Amino acid sequence: ARTEDTAFDYGFLLHISEATRRVEALNEYLSSRSYLAGYGPSQADTEAFSLLCGPPSERHVHALRWYKHIAALKPQMNDQTPECSTRGKRVQPPWSPPEVTGVSKLNLYNSLTRTKEVFAPQKGNRVLWYCCGPTVYDASHMGHARSYISFDILRRILKNYFKYDVFYCMNITDIDDKIIKRARQNHLLEQYTAKKPSASKILQDVLTARTPFKVKLAETTDPDKKQMLERLDAAVDAALSPLQEAVQSKAQDASIQNKAEVLLEEAKDLLSDWLDAQFGSQVTENSIFSLLPKFWEGEFHKDMEALNVLPADVLTRVSEYVPEIVAFVQKIVDNGYGYESNGSVYFDTAKFDACPDHSYAKLVPEAVGDQKALQEGEGDLSISADRLSEKRSQNDFALWKASKPGEPSWDSPWGKGRPGWHIECSAMAGSILGESMDIHGGGFDLRFPHHDNELAQSEAYFENDHWVRYFLHTGHLTIAGCKMSKSLKNFITIKDALAKHTARQLRLVFLMHSWKDTLDYSNNTMESAIQYERFINEFFLNVKDILRSPTDITGQFEKWEAEEIELNKSFYEKKAAVHEALCDNMDTRSALEEMRALVGQSNTYMAARRSAKLPPNRMLLESIALYLTDMLKTFGAIEGTEPIGFPVGGTGQNADLESTVMPYLTVLSEFREDVRKIAREKKVTELLQLCDVLRDDVLPELGVRLEDRDGLPTGMKLVDKETLMKEKEEKKKMEEERKKKKEEAAMKKQEQEMAKIAKMKVKPCEMFRSATDKYSSFDEKGFPTHDAEGKELSKGLTKKLHKLYEAQEKLYNEYLQSTQNGS
């Protein structure tokens, strides 16, 4: 209420005795007055307020708002003199905050609980993450890609989408039983081949080496391993026979030597094992054991770079952390959880597990006592009878291994030795990340014993029970449904995979599957990824083509009709669904499906506008394309700085090809359109054909796709040449199939016409006479009267045959008519 000349006139309220009617009258009065703007309440406001017994109902909106305002100011009114109260400033009314609903939190599947848990880093926004790196003794394969691409995707989502400050540490295992054995064998085989052994020597040695191999084959019970050894034996056998025959027939030396080299190549695994058993203990130079892992580590980094996997913030190598590992082992012993035996140090699992503050095998408690898994964890060189007898319990595992002849060694308080496998990660991760980390990642097959032993060692060292808060394990990778294993020689290297498919396509395969489930790498899964890439890319190309259409600055802001409002609603729903999916254990599979659906809806919208000869809303489509591009960048599926779509141009092409060449293409396209217009008007078919050749043959070779659209400007898209060549080939194939089908249809039609004419030529009186297997007697018109057995035809059959006879009469008359007309 205002306090000037138009003071609040409350006198009329005094004459209304009923409270309800008084409120109604007040509400009607206030509906035509500005009762909140201006200064503080007048004396009239105060007196009118006192007439009311309480707040008016919500249907009396003006009276209720006035009442709440006066009630809020009442303490001030009581403290002020009437003169002051008419001059005091008004204050803002109370604000009702919105109710916050549906706030999703990130949940991660934690192997420590085997369920999804709300992700809560220990130090605010900071995430400490350790990832088990490769054991570098051979080429990296798609099993490695499974883990490292998957973790790269999760890391990027945490960092770029959820905005966590991720500190990522990964190790390189360059001291290991597998590395030692492979390095030794490679060294001995190189020495053997350097001596250029004769064909007879190779034959003799392979036959000798085959004896222990056959024993090993007979003793092997694992079906996959047995199958691998059988394949190897068959290959050796296939190479042995020709050489033996050549030697017996006294063939020419060159022929014998060639066959010997083939045998040497096929039997190198047998020979390596045989040579290692004989001379392995004589290989003592540490450098021999470092050259192999150094080479394969380099190849691993090249593969990761080719796959667009971000490098770790910190990379630790076992060979560089031996002093820290020795100190780590010593403290475990000092804490009472380790013991020395014959120069080796073992972890006392029973003592650790008996401690109330600790628990052994947190990840896979049911695997405790699994001797096969434990021995695989110890390594091939560490499971001899003497080594196994050194331990207090079969469940104990090596922290430090006394080096035997033929193994690298380092000094320690327990003598010359080398680190156990599990202790490497504990010591390195502990050195970098401290007593507790947020995330530890690795492959599913590392849970037991490797990660369970890591946990035990580290918690024994730090005397805590929370060395790792969240354990993430990526699922297995199978190849066309079969188990993949380097030791079983059933694997596809990353280089081989990249020779067939792009890094983006491989990444899309991983994005289209859950990171924690088994993934089958096959032609079908790759084809799904290729189709998804093509579908999304076509959308980006269409949007970029639309955005290139000239418009003034105000023309960018088109009015939104029902179609735009509906598409925008879908856009926000899909964004919300993508967010929900990423909050749910970073479910990229569902996120990609929501993105696919958004593209499908956008395509439908663009097609409808095109059919109506109307331009689509540029800014709405640009917003959708920017969002999709940003999400694919978040996932690591798009590199570069282009705001929309996949980068155009070859690898390492930094220039923005699109902005460089598009002005020239625009001029060319417009010139071609003018030429086509004139050619159509003047009916110059040769010019139209030349324009088609430019579109179909010339420009695709340069990575350019032109799309002629009836009544609309020509679409221009930059697409890689290989894709366009495939499209051209598919189009040609489809045209050939279409032509073939057309020819087949024409031929069939002609055959039908010929058959019809042939049928028309038949006289009605002759149509039944040839069917002697059915009928034996006919009347003067040639109509059958008796069946083949001489019985008179039934009335029903006679009636049916009469219809056929009459139909043939009609056809025959049509034929006679056509011949008379000369057709």
Side-chain angles (χ1 to χ4, degrees), residues 544-751:
K544 286 196 276 190
D545 185 53
I546 289 165
L547 295 177
R548 279 193 292 270
S549 301
T551 183
D552 58 31
I553 193 164
T554 57
Q556 297 178 64
F557 302 95
E558 301 103 332
K559 182 188 176 185
W560 281 26
E561 304 291 351
E563 294 83 2
E564 283 79 24
I565 292 169
E566 185 61 31
L567 179 58
N568 188 59
K569 181 185 174 188
S570 292
F571 178 27
Y572 277 88
E573 286 172 354
K574 294 303 173 191
K575 279 203 289 189
V578 168
H579 179 72
E580 288 298 317
L582 295 182
C583 285
D584 183 14
N585 198 35
M586 294 196 256
D587 178 8
T588 56
R589 179 179 177 275
S590 297
L592 258 63
E593 283 305 309
E594 297 294 346
M595 290 162 65
R596 187 205 296 268
L598 176 58
V599 170
Q601 290 164 346
S602 303
N603 288 343
T604 302
Y605 165 75
M606 287 189 284
R609 300 296 283 182
R610 199 179 298 126
S611 298
K613 301 288 192 297
L614 294 169
N617 189 288
R618 297 159 61 99
M619 293 197 75
L620 177 54
L621 288 173
E622 184 178 22
S623 295
I624 293 170
L626 286 168
Y627 166 74
L628 292 169
T629 303
D630 185 56
M631 289 310 302
L632 289 168
K633 283 181 178 178
T634 295
F635 299 150
I638 291 183
E639 297 177 76
T641 57
E642 291 181 44
I644 291 178
F646 301 130
V648 180
T651 307
Q653 200 163 333
N654 295 323
D656 185 351
L657 185 65
E658 190 141 348
S659 62
T660 304
V661 304
M662 204 48 77
Y664 302 98
L665 282 177
T666 303
V667 171
L668 175 64
S669 176
E670 289 172 354
F671 175 75
R672 176 178 170 275
E673 194 54 44
D674 290 341
V675 170
R676 289 176 77 224
K677 185 179 178 183
I678 294 167
R680 279 195 296 267
E681 289 171 356
K682 305 288 184 184
K683 298 184 179 177
V684 187
T685 55
E686 292 84 358
L687 273 179
L688 287 171
Q689 287 170 355
L690 283 173
C691 289
D692 288 348
V693 168
L694 178 69
R695 178 196 64 202
D696 299 335
D697 299 329
V698 179
L699 289 176
E701 290 283 349
L702 302 172
V704 177
R705 186 202 289 155
L706 288 188
E707 295 176 352
D708 291 324
R709 298 164 179 166
D710 188 29
L712 293 170
T714 301
M716 293 179 293
K717 298 172 182 178
L718 291 185
V719 187
D720 64 277
K721 179 182 171 182
E722 187 182 346
T723 300
L724 291 177
M725 291 299 101
K726 282 183 183 176
E727 287 179 3
K728 185 178 176 182
E729 198 61 39
E730 286 171 7
K731 187 178 178 184
K732 184 181 175 184
K733 191 176 176 183
M734 285 173 66
E735 284 174 355
E736 287 173 354
E737 286 178 2
R738 209 165 26 239
K739 185 181 176 184
K740 187 180 176 183
K741 284 181 180 177
K742 193 175 179 182
E743 289 172 353
E744 287 174 353
M747 192 177 292
K748 190 176 180 181
K749 188 178 179 183
Q750 188 179 3
E751 287 171 356

Side-chain angles (χ1 to χ4, degrees), residues 15-36:
H15 305 293
I16 303 172
S17 58
E18 189 179 338
T20 304
R21 285 187 56 212
R22 185 184 295 149
V23 169
E24 287 174 351
L26 175 63
N27 188 66
E28 186 179 352
Y29 177 85
L30 293 172
S31 66
S32 60
R33 281 160 178 73
S34 177
Y35 49 88
L36 292 183

